[in-house]
Amino acid sequence: MLNAAAELFVTRGFAATSTREIAERVGIRQASLYYHFAGKDEILAELLQRSVRPTVDKVEKIEALVPPETHATALYLLALIDIRTLAEAPHNVGILYAQSDVTNSEIYTEFQHTRRELVDAYGRIGLQAASVAVTADIDAPELGEMLMHSIEVVTGIRNAGTAMTPQRANRIAEAVLRMCDVPRETITTAAATAAGLLAEFHHEDVFNDATSHQNL
């Protein structure tokens, strides 16, 4: 059901998609859909949550794997994992982040809270990696938002039909570190180390409809 809804929301638009159309795409009665979700807003809230939660759940492991005092590597690795999460989701749900209902409705409170956790992680790790000049001029929440927006460009790239190649992913991750005024040679080292650590994180299909009863 979630995959079907995601496809319709992304291709037709959230406002233009009805629960009846979602049910028809899945092959169930509309009434059956309401056993699992109160409406399409709850479906979108679940999809958005799944677009950020996988990265948030890996932050602790990222910080544990990366050697102490190599914060640039932690930031680069976080960026690569986040890019992959957004790029490999079956449908480009992240493109719906900015719609007004998502930012204003209480239905999306859990998603906003989870996204804030990720912003906080970017801000915290970013400040640790940043130059003194950057840390003197910005606080963690502001930096975190800036870095998150740099990563979320992935949704725009997907929307344009452009493939997210490893080269593009690395350019985005490098841009995140450059925003923190990390020296060129440190970025090069961070990129190489992060590439080696990336294999520690096995990609999980968070849109797999078999993972819980709520995803039917």
Side-chain angles (χ1 to χ4, degrees):
M1 183 185 298
L2 290 174
N3 273 323
E7 181 180 7
L8 289 169
F9 291 162
V10 170
T11 58
R12 298 193 56 188
F14 178 72
T17 301
S18 67
T19 54
R20 178 180 58 79
E21 290 168 320
I22 296 170
E24 288 178 351
R25 179 66 63 91
V26 178
I28 63 174
R29 294 183 304 161
Q30 186 176 10
S32 298
L33 182 149
Y34 292 117
Y35 285 122
H36 307 287
F37 297 98
K40 66 178 185 177
D41 288 285
E42 282 196 4
I43 296 174
L44 178 58
E46 176 70 12
L47 288 168
L48 293 176
Q49 174 76 344
R50 287 162 176 253
S51 71
V52 293
R53 173 52 64 187
T55 303
V56 171
D57 287 344
K58 293 178 177 66
V59 170
E60 185 176 350
K61 183 176 180 179
I62 290 169
E63 294 182 298
L65 275 176
V66 175
E69 307 307 318
T70 54
H71 304 297
T73 297
L75 183 59
Y76 200 104
L77 182 57
L78 175 61
L80 285 182
I81 290 170
D82 202 11
I83 291 165
R84 186 171 68 178
T85 299
L86 292 173
E88 294 185 358
H91 304 285
N92 193 19
V93 176
I95 203 71
L96 302 172
Y97 283 178
Q99 70 172 39
S100 60
D101 286 346
V102 171
T103 56
N104 296 328
S105 174
E106 291 184 2
I107 295 174
Y108 302 98
T109 299
E110 184 178 2
F111 159 67
Q112 294 292 359
H113 176 75
T114 305
R115 187 183 181 279
R116 172 51 55 188
E117 288 185 66
L118 190 52
V119 168
D120 290 345
Y122 272 110
R124 180 180 68 255
I125 298 171
L127 280 183
Q128 291 170 333
S131 69
V132 173
V134 171
T135 59
D137 190 49
I138 196 169
D139 60 16
E142 184 181 356
L143 179 60
E145 282 289 356
M146 290 172 59
L147 300 182
M148 277 281 288
H149 284 303
S150 297
I151 296 297
E152 288 169 353
V153 71
V154 171
T155 64
I157 292 173
R158 283 193 69 176
N159 199 48
T162 304
M164 181 51 59
T165 63
Q167 292 78 13
R168 288 193 177 92
N170 279 297
R171 283 197 290 270
I172 295 170
E174 289 172 9
V176 166
L177 269 67
R178 286 199 300 272
M179 290 181 69
C180 296
D181 198 27
V182 176
R184 177 74 260 176
E185 60 273 16
T186 303
I187 294 176
T188 301
T189 301
T193 307
L197 293 173
L198 195 60
E200 297 286 337
F201 297 84
H202 299 292
H203 179 61
E204 297 177 0
D205 183 2
V206 296
F207 287 82
N208 185 340
D209 284 355
T211 55
S212 77
H213 73 280
Q214 199 173 28
N215 305 336
L216 295 176

